[in-house]
Amino acid sequence: RHVYGTSSKRDQCFDNLKVSRNAWDTNLVKANPLFISINLEASGGGAFAVISHNNTGKLSENLPVYNGHTAAVLDTDFNPFNDHVVASASEDTRVMVWTIPQGGPTENISTPALTLSGHGRKVGHVLFHPTADNLLASASADFTIKLWDISKGAEKQELTGHTEIIQSLTWDWTGSLLATTCKDKKLRVFDVRANKVVQEANGHQGVKGARVVWMGGLDRLITTGFSRSSDRQVFVWDTKNLGEPLKQENIDTASGMLIPHYDQDTGILFLAGKGDGNIRYYEWSDDEKALHYLSEYKSSDPQRGIGFLPKRAVNVAETEIARAFKVTPTLVEPIPFKVPRKSDAFQSDLYPDAVGPEPALTIDEFFAGKTAGPKLISLESGFTAAPAKEFVTSAPPPEEKETKGPSTEKEYQEAYHTLRKENDDLKNQVSQKDVRIRQLEAQLEGLLKENK
């Protein structure tokens, strides 16, 4: 109940960034125990940066970026079981999977480890599976969600049933169910292995967007959205029966989307409003079916997006229970949330076993019907980075057509004469078409005079 957030000094922030101004609704930033990824504004294509947590302060104008997409990057996600793999989704209809060098990139990286093509329109969201290794979900404006095996570069499943743009998606604790919010104002829960909608409900009725997040190991969902009269709302749902929300809460009448984040270990719900400077937090009591308002972090700088650090990487020595990364137009600011305690001993009530860096299942086991919760680890000894794993994919490399230019004087002469001939032919075709157009115009004029 005494959780408080503290703002970071400028030299502890990631400063001097050109954050993407794209209007698509995502968090703009993602964090893993070693890095953050941030969508950037890029001319002539799409780019995002991956920055080490140690690399704070004013960043170089020539910050190394991942720039393989040909249109704006809309979303990124880190592989939960390999801290050196990140996936990106873009307006160019592709999903790309990238490897991250030790310590972070030192130069621009243009060639991904894997390109996944198959969506018909822009891809707005990517989200890794919580228990199965190398399984990635991507949601597109073609109203489908695809599940990919990134170790083989193969599509494993396509989820259909949406009638409008998919606005957000979230996995349940075991990854066997996937919940989505959609522009058609419906909340859906999919059985991903059967491509079946197992629950459907009418969500927030406002015309603006809605978000959904699963409440850890509980059979509960949280959605944020707007009422018909544009009030910002939070609903808590029982996933066994989506007939009516368990709890409905109207927050205020501000215009920015509320970004929800639920901390499974402490039962705290963080709500960060786009365009607000504050982050509210609530405690969910499952016995009372009640959301208790705790407090809020206040700031004069409005946020454009927010991402949270995985629980296994928080600083337990300073009783940090969560760390948010707040995005403003030029910087990303870490905001640690702490609970004041007098004792230096490990606070076991604040830190139950958290989700660890080891997968519980392989993809084949998951699609064969096996279900398991995430593997948990103790945080008592503090955070130690998982050993680096090499990412290997058996997907064939993208075909590159070789375009070999002229190299000798003779080849240059031949290429020049060929181009000149093509140019002359095109000029002739254009002049012939001009003559024909004039003839047709004269005929049309004659016909009009006759009719008069």
Side-chain angles (χ1 to χ4, degrees):
R1 292 186 175 277
H2 306 288
V3 179
Y4 68 96
T6 46
S7 53
S8 297
K9 293 190 176 78
R10 194 96 184 187
D11 60 354
Q12 295 168 326
C13 299
F14 304 91
D15 196 1
N16 197 31
L17 293 166
K18 294 188 180 78
V19 177
S20 172
R21 296 195 296 270
N22 195 287
W24 185 259
D25 177 40
T26 56
N27 292 353
L28 294 172
V29 68
K30 286 284 173 74
N32 80 358
L34 304 178
F35 307 101
I36 66 161
S37 69
I38 176 80
N39 303 357
L40 299 178
E41 195 66 27
S43 53
F48 69 100
V50 171
I51 310 166
S52 165
H53 288 309
N54 303 323
N55 189 13
T56 53
K58 188 168 183 184
L59 299 165
S60 160
E61 292 285 341
N62 302 317
L63 180 72
V65 296
Y66 289 87
N67 58 5
H69 285 288
T70 55
V73 173
L74 300 180
D75 196 21
T76 57
D77 195 30
F78 288 104
N79 188 334
F81 311 121
N82 187 340
D83 291 336
H84 289 83
V85 170
V86 64
S88 58
S90 165
E91 281 187 354
D92 66 10
T93 75
R94 292 185 179 86
V95 175
M96 292 184 178
V97 180
W98 310 80
T99 53
I100 306 167
Q102 289 282 350
T106 53
E107 58 187 8
N108 287 358
I109 297 176
S110 307
T111 308
L114 180 63
T115 300
L116 302 169
S117 307
H119 283 297
R121 296 179 67 190
K122 65 184 176 186
V123 185
H125 303 277
V126 278
L127 191 62
F128 274 98
H129 195 274
T131 59
D133 201 9
N134 290 328
L135 184 56
L136 176 69
S138 62
S140 164
D142 62 10
F143 310 157
T144 65
I145 295 172
K146 289 183 187 288
L147 304 186
W148 306 91
D149 177 351
I150 63 168
S151 62
K152 296 189 177 76
E155 183 185 320
K156 295 293 285 183
Q157 180 68 286
E158 183 180 72
L159 305 181
T160 53
H162 295 96
T163 60
E164 281 277 2
I165 298 250
I166 300 155
Q167 293 171 329
S168 72
L169 59 161
T170 177
W171 292 105
D172 79 334
W173 187 240
T174 63
S176 53
L177 300 174
L178 182 77
T180 64
T181 52
C182 180
K183 201 176 175 186
D184 62 11
K185 302 176 187 171
K186 289 198 184 305
L187 170 66
R188 293 178 176 86
V189 178
F190 284 85
D191 178 341
V192 293
R193 287 176 282 216
N195 183 15
K196 200 166 76 180
V197 178
V198 290
Q199 289 271 352
E200 188 173 298
N202 290 319
H204 303 270
Q205 294 305 298
V207 292
K208 294 177 187 173
R211 293 281 194 100
V212 60
V213 67
W214 213 288
M215 296 177 71
L218 301 174
D219 293 327
R220 304 277 183 267
L221 286 169
I222 290 171
T223 57
T224 58
F226 295 84
S227 69
R228 277 200 175 88
S229 53
S230 289
D231 291 339
R232 293 202 289 194
Q233 297 177 314
V234 178
F235 289 176
V236 181
W237 305 81
D238 179 354
T239 56
K240 292 191 177 73
N241 176 18
L242 294 185
E244 278 291 316
L246 285 176
K247 179 75 182 168
Q248 299 189 34
E249 192 99 16
N250 279 19
I251 304 296
D252 58 17
T253 55
S255 59
M257 163 65 65
L258 284 170
I259 303 170
H261 171 77
Y262 182 74
D263 181 5
Q264 145 89 8
D265 301 332
T266 55
I268 293 179
L269 169 67
F270 294 88
L271 294 177
K274 280 196 173 183
D276 303 358
N278 56 357
I279 302 169
R280 298 176 175 84
Y281 30 106
Y282 298 78
E283 187 173 20
W284 170 253
S285 166
D286 207 45
D287 302 334
E288 302 169 42
K289 307 286 182 282
L291 265 179
H292 300 293
Y293 174 76
L294 295 176
S295 183
E296 66 182 298
Y297 164 82
K298 290 183 178 172
S299 158
S300 57
D301 297 320
Q303 60 233 358
R304 296 197 43 224
I306 198 160
F308 279 80
L309 191 69
K311 196 59 179 277
R312 63 188 169 95
V314 296
N315 188 341
V316 295
E318 294 185 8
T319 57
E320 179 185 49
I321 59 159
R323 192 183 311 163
F325 290 89
K326 168 180 162 177
V327 182
T328 67
T330 58
L331 63 77
V332 176
E333 178 191 359
I335 302 169
F337 289 90
K338 299 177 182 176
V339 177
R341 292 283 167 95
K342 288 179 180 170
S343 166
D344 291 338
F346 177 69
Q347 308 293 323
S348 56
D349 59 324
L350 293 180
Y351 302 107
D353 288 354
V355 176
E358 289 299 318
L361 300 169
T362 64
I363 287 184
D364 294 336
E365 285 173 337
F366 176 73
F367 279 101
K370 196 172 174 188
T371 300
K375 285 190 177 175
L376 304 180
I377 56 169
S378 168
L379 300 181
E380 189 163 357
S381 55
F383 168 65
T384 49
K389 289 192 282 192
E390 191 182 355
F391 173 65
V392 181
T393 178
S394 58
E399 288 180 25
E400 287 183 23
K401 291 176 183 163
E402 281 194 40
T403 52
K404 197 179 167 206
S407 54
T408 63
E409 182 70 26
K410 189 182 175 194
E411 285 174 354
Y412 275 113
Q413 292 281 354
E414 285 172 359
Y416 169 73
H417 289 303
T418 306
L419 286 170
R420 185 158 183 175
K421 186 173 181 303
E422 279 178 22
N423 197 24
D424 291 341
D425 288 346
L426 287 167
K427 277 183 182 170
N428 286 335
Q429 285 177 31
V430 169
S431 58
Q432 284 169 10
K433 294 240 167 61
D434 281 346
V435 171
R436 182 73 182 127
I437 287 166
R438 283 198 289 276
Q439 286 172 347
L440 289 167
E441 281 174 342
Q443 284 176 15
L444 186 64
E445 219 170 284
L447 285 167
L448 288 169
K449 280 177 184 172
E450 282 175 25
N451 287 340
K452 280 179 185 174

